[in-house]
Amino acid sequence: MIGGKAGEGIEVPGNMFAKLAMHAGLWLNSTQEFYSVIKGYNNINQIRVSENPVKSHNNHYDLVLSIDDETVGRYIDDIVPGGGLVYDPSLVSGEVKRDDINLFPVPMVEIAKEKVGLGLAKNIVGIGVCMALLDYEIQPLLDLIVKTFARKGEDIVNKNIDAAQAGYNYVKEHFNREFNYQIRPLKEPVKKFFVNGNQSIVFGAIKAGLKFVSEYPMTPSSSVLHSAAKHAQQYDISVNHVEDELSAINMAIGAGYAGVRSMAATSGGGFALMTEAIGMAGMIEAPVVIVEVQRPGPSTGLPTRSGQGDLRTVMHASQGEFPRIVLSPGSHEEAFYMAHEAFNLAEKYQCPVILLTEKYLGEGHATLPFLKTDHLTVDRGKLLKEDEITEDFKRYKSSEDGIPPRSIPGQKGGAHCATTYEHLESGYFTEEVEPVKKIYARRMKKMETIEKNLPSVQIEGDADAEVTIVCWGATYMPASEAIDLLAKDGITANMLHIKYMLPLQPGVLEALEQCKRPILVESNYNAQLGGVIAEKAGVDIQSKILDYSGRPFTPDQIAEEIKKLTKK
Amino acid sequence: MPRTPKDYTSTEGKPNWCPGCGDFGIEAAMKQAMAQLDLDPDKVMLITGIGCGANMPSWFSTYGLITLHGRAVAVATGAHLANHELSTFVEGGDGDGYGIGMGHFIHAMRRNPNLTYIVGNNTVYGLTKGQVSPTSAKGCAGPSTPFGNPDPPVNPIALALANHCSFVARGYAGNLPHLVNLIKEAHNHKGFSFIDVLQPCVTYDKVHGYKYYQDLTYDLQQSNHDTTNQEAAFKKAFEPPEKYPIGIFYKEERPIYVEELPQFKKGPLTRHDISKIDVKPLFEEYSF
């Protein structure tokens, strides 16, 4: 873990450490906890490294690099016995004391001033220190510094190299190697890449044929916009930083209506502004994908933290009743595949699709193996080719499955008026009783068709387990590691992770009937998934582990709570 | 056979505006302009907001989309960027464009997408029964302002001139030949072209009738106005209420949105092949 003040650069050494671990062929998971400020306040970057895929973050640290005055005080007790703490005595007031960990006082500021002429380069000194403590060769770090600072000129590159080297040497000169951790390169590492959940979503969307993105920046969804913008010219995507979320969603719907795969991304507050337009997409039956990266509310809430308080919001937002789909991925890999799927669903069912995630996944990074994409196809549903448009074409024609044929502007013979007013099969507005009932029922029929075609929910793990964790979204990550922790204490647990929130994934009732003891785990106050399950599947799950602190669950937190609940 | 307004007229239903409404003039002018421009109805998008005039697409045979109150410009921008080869008209009222949708109007002008935006400006909210609009004069009374409107009106022309609008014009719904020409010029202008159309509301506004506008409007293009002179245009924009210049206030050639970006070089986005997109280069890029 690396801790420092906002603006002092804990991101640079964090990324460097992650890249060096990847260079050694290791797997990673990294999350950042930070305050909603640009300068000052203690921020941390938690990085977990392993020879095997890392399921989650946790709050126990093997090695802490502190480059400010606060990290030591806040986190010294979270270091595991035998772990290490690197700190600069000149920055820390009071005594640094713990007998069961290794203390590595390093004058990082002084070294930085001497080598670079700038105290702020203490982070680079610190990363050199860490690599030495972990007994890893220095060359990859030096190469990385060249790459990272190349565009700032040779002088800056050389100074940073000196800083890193000085930190590295300081360890070799001042500490006997008594630290029991080491980075060992893997012999035959799997080829992998390192992204956050938002980037993974963008990559999945690009694979699905993403052509249009409009967004107004909002933490923690902004990296969707940044990532799409970065690759816009490579993949010919129109990416637009627009004036507000009203514009973002309305533009995206316009683009979807006109025939391209379009997406808007936001967090809860921006989603609230998009509400009316989501109903428009439902009414005119335009495909659009909305990514909602949750942070805790209400209102401005905790802008830089994580939560799962918006499930009911996205399920019900906008007046009236209309078909929509809400999906929520559990991991970085699932984020890629579900983003891809979201675009197929939007066009197949001609409705808004909301991909609901949270800051923990959206901004948290992980290594992924190069994902398989050969099986992914583009399904544009009932979008007609020009020669399939017949003379009696009606855009909103009745059909068994509720899905009408679709033409897009420019197609010969497909012209029609789409309107947010209630309308006839042709699209022409109406207020007459019988036609209104007919088209309303036809539209809603799509929900049945969608539900019928969703994959049934599966229980993951030991079918006879004593406990079943019922969760959604990225709670999947710490929950799956909690299951491993419980196993060590002799408690068998499995998991019911729900990925399709609306319509609720089929098979929830049947799955719960097989569970001995379901326990809900959610990052909100009201157990919103629990409410949905009670309403749709008729099972009111009594045991709940809820956390609305704005911090993601850790595996041991879930395991401890389950142990308390199951104590006989 | 040359096209006629009938080629742009839906076979389903007839306009439901009050007899004498200025919207009839705008509808007729738009269809006449489309015919004279010889546009294929299947290659035209007409996108509107909500309001009396915004019901327009119902009576057109082109692709039409009636969106939400205030959102027409945003929706149309997205639709246009998806398929920039189509002719895209945006239409709505003064409440729609200068009230609830003002933000989109301003930012669209900055962006300069190739859209033709026609605002029927009758200085009143018709569909909600006669409240004041953003262009109503200070002091004028309505059901929401029984003691007189406390606010001065917005100046749409000055607003457009101040915000990089590349084609700024005003028409009058009672002067059809003039309005037809204006819509044609606006369509042929590359970029965001804006026409504020003076339009009587015969039901809720007894002051600004046909006689009123007939007497007070005059054609800018008949009065030696230089359409490349922004300063002169500003002066003209502040002429009412004594006089209403109609015609083109200002126009400039500058690159349109799709010309600024390489993404659109391979033709409209709707025609890009999305069946075999390779994301492996992305995985490589984030590998180390």
Side-chain angles (χ1 to χ4, degrees), chain A residues 479-553:
Chain A
S480 52
E481 190 166 326
I483 290 171
D484 301 342
L485 296 177
L486 288 167
K488 285 181 194 156
D489 289 329
I491 298 171
T492 54
N494 60 21
M495 178 150 47
L496 187 64
H497 180 252
I498 294 175
K499 304 168 202 301
Y500 301 85
M501 319 308 291
L502 183 74
L504 183 66
Q505 195 163 5
V508 173
L509 173 63
E510 293 77 2
L512 284 172
E513 279 171 350
Q514 288 165 24
C515 297
K516 293 203 175 87
R517 171 97 193 250
I519 298 175
L520 276 166
V521 183
E522 296 190 60
S523 291
N524 56 45
Y525 186 90
N526 279 327
Q528 297 187 18
L529 172 64
V532 173
I533 291 175
E535 181 191 322
K536 305 280 185 188
V539 182
D540 191 0
I541 300 171
Q542 295 300 315
S543 303
K544 302 175 176 93
I545 300 171
L546 304 170
D547 188 328
Y548 39 90
S549 64
R551 273 63 172 180
F553 282 105

Side-chain angles (χ1 to χ4, degrees), chain A residues 324-539:
Chain A
R324 81 181 89 187
I325 300 172
V326 180
L327 317 170
S328 188
S331 64
H332 295 79
E333 185 168 329
E334 211 160 71
F336 175 87
Y337 290 114
M338 287 193 110
H340 183 276
E341 185 184 3
F343 287 88
N344 281 346
L345 292 173
E347 285 209 298
K348 217 168 140 187
Y349 300 109
Q350 301 175 24
C351 70
V353 175
I354 298 151
L355 191 64
L356 184 62
T357 179
E358 55 282 89
K359 178 252 170 180
Y360 177 54
L361 175 55
E363 289 198 338
H365 282 74
T367 38
L368 292 176
F370 275 34
L371 299 173
K372 290 194 175 63
T373 58
D374 290 346
H375 64 293
L376 299 176
T377 52
V378 168
D379 181 354
R380 306 207 65 180
K382 291 193 187 174
L383 174 59
L384 301 176
K385 294 195 174 65
E386 209 161 56
D387 56 18
E388 293 169 341
I389 300 174
T390 53
E391 203 140 301
D392 61 348
F393 168 75
K394 286 198 167 89
R395 171 66 180 95
Y396 299 105
K397 197 172 159 52
S398 300
S399 65
E400 277 290 298
D401 57 8
I403 308 164
R406 176 171 165 237
S407 66
I408 51 171
Q411 284 183 321
K412 195 95 213 132
H416 60 275
C417 178
T419 171
T420 53
Y421 285 94
E422 193 53 281
H423 42 266
L424 302 169
E425 287 187 331
S426 62
Y428 192 77
F429 67 89
T430 187
E431 294 189 23
E432 302 307 321
V433 174
E434 286 311 316
V436 164
K437 279 162 65 180
K438 188 177 161 192
I439 199 154
Y440 203 119
R442 194 275 296 155
R443 244 188 343 257
M444 294 310 291
K445 184 84 202 281
K446 290 200 284 189
M447 280 310 264
E448 279 174 46
T449 307
I450 296 164
E451 195 179 339
K452 234 182 342 199
N453 288 302
L454 289 180
S456 281
V457 75
Q458 300 295 333
I459 289 181
E460 269 184 54
D462 179 2
D464 295 323
E466 297 158 64
V467 166
T468 299
I469 296 175
V470 183
C471 66
W472 62 283
T475 301
Y476 177 86
M477 298 197 285
S480 52
E481 190 166 326
I483 290 171
D484 301 342
L485 296 177
L486 288 167
K488 285 181 194 156
D489 289 329
I491 298 171
T492 54
N494 60 21
M495 178 150 47
L496 187 64
H497 180 252
I498 294 175
K499 304 168 202 301
Y500 301 85
M501 319 308 291
L502 183 74
L504 183 66
Q505 195 163 5
V508 173
L509 173 63
E510 293 77 2
L512 284 172
E513 279 171 350
Q514 288 165 24
C515 297
K516 293 203 175 87
R517 171 97 193 250
I519 298 175
L520 276 166
V521 183
E522 296 190 60
S523 291
N524 56 45
Y525 186 90
N526 279 327
Q528 297 187 18
L529 172 64
V532 173
I533 291 175
E535 181 191 322
K536 305 280 185 188
V539 182

Side-chain angles (χ1 to χ4, degrees), chain A residues 19-20 22-23 140 144 147 191-195 199 202-204 206-212 227 230-244 246-248 250-261 276-278 280 284 319 336 347 369-373 376-378 380 386 389 407-421 424 426-429, chain B residues 3 10-16 40-52 54-83 86 100-108 110-111 127 257 260-266 268-288:
Chain A
K19 284 179 173 171
L20 292 168
M22 254 174 90
H23 182 261
L144 191 57
K147 217 172 140 183
K191 197 156 187 201
K192 41 185 139 12
F193 64 107
F194 188 61
V195 284
Q199 287 168 323
V202 170
F203 293 2
I206 290 175
K207 177 64 194 164
L210 180 71
K211 283 285 139 192
F212 191 89
S227 177
K230 184 174 173 190
H231 304 293
Q233 301 196 352
Q234 192 180 351
Y235 287 96
D236 294 318
I237 305 164
S238 173
V239 179
N240 305 274
H241 168 173
V242 297
E243 61 268 24
D244 51 34
L246 299 171
S247 184
N250 281 284
M251 273 198 194
I253 291 170
Y257 154 81
V260 300
R261 295 197 149 188
E276 188 189 20
I278 290 165
M280 167 166 73
I284 66 170
Q319 70 273 27
F336 175 87
E347 285 209 298
F370 275 34
L371 299 173
K372 290 194 175 63
T373 58
L376 299 176
T377 52
V378 168
R380 306 207 65 180
E386 209 161 56
I389 300 174
S407 66
I408 51 171
Q411 284 183 321
K412 195 95 213 132
H416 60 275
C417 178
T419 171
T420 53
Y421 285 94
L424 302 169
S426 62
Y428 192 77
F429 67 89
Chain B
R3 295 183 199 266
S10 159
T11 53
E12 208 167 6
K14 289 213 158 44
N16 53 13
D40 177 349
D42 285 325
K43 305 289 178 198
V44 173
M45 286 194 279
L46 170 56
I47 298 179
T48 62
I50 294 290
C52 295
N55 287 330
M56 198 74 79
S58 303
W59 307 297
F60 276 65
S61 65
T62 63
Y63 279 89
L65 174 56
I66 300 172
T67 66
L68 298 169
H69 197 37
R71 310 297 159 224
V73 169
V75 176
T77 303
H80 161 70
L81 295 180
N83 192 343
L86 304 180
I100 192 168
M102 176 67 100
H104 304 310
F105 174 44
I106 289 174
H107 293 282
R110 289 170 53 217
R111 244 172 240 131
L127 202 54
Y257 194 79
E260 302 257 29
L261 298 165
Q263 288 93 311
F264 300 94
K265 292 278 187 282
K266 292 173 194 154
L269 300 179
T270 49
R271 284 216 295 271
H272 292 199
D273 181 11
I274 59 168
S275 62
K276 287 184 200 75
I277 289 170
D278 182 12
V279 287
K280 211 168 154 222
L282 295 173
F283 301 165
E284 293 284 358
E285 195 179 328
Y286 289 79
S287 200
F288 182 76

Side-chain angles (χ1 to χ4, degrees), chain B residues 192-211:
Chain B
F192 187 85
S193 30
F194 162 61
I195 312 175
D196 177 68
V197 183
L198 303 171
Q199 172 200 5
C201 174
V202 293
T203 303
Y204 293 111
D205 185 346
K206 304 298 179 197
V207 180
H208 306 91
Y210 287 96
K211 173 82 170 70

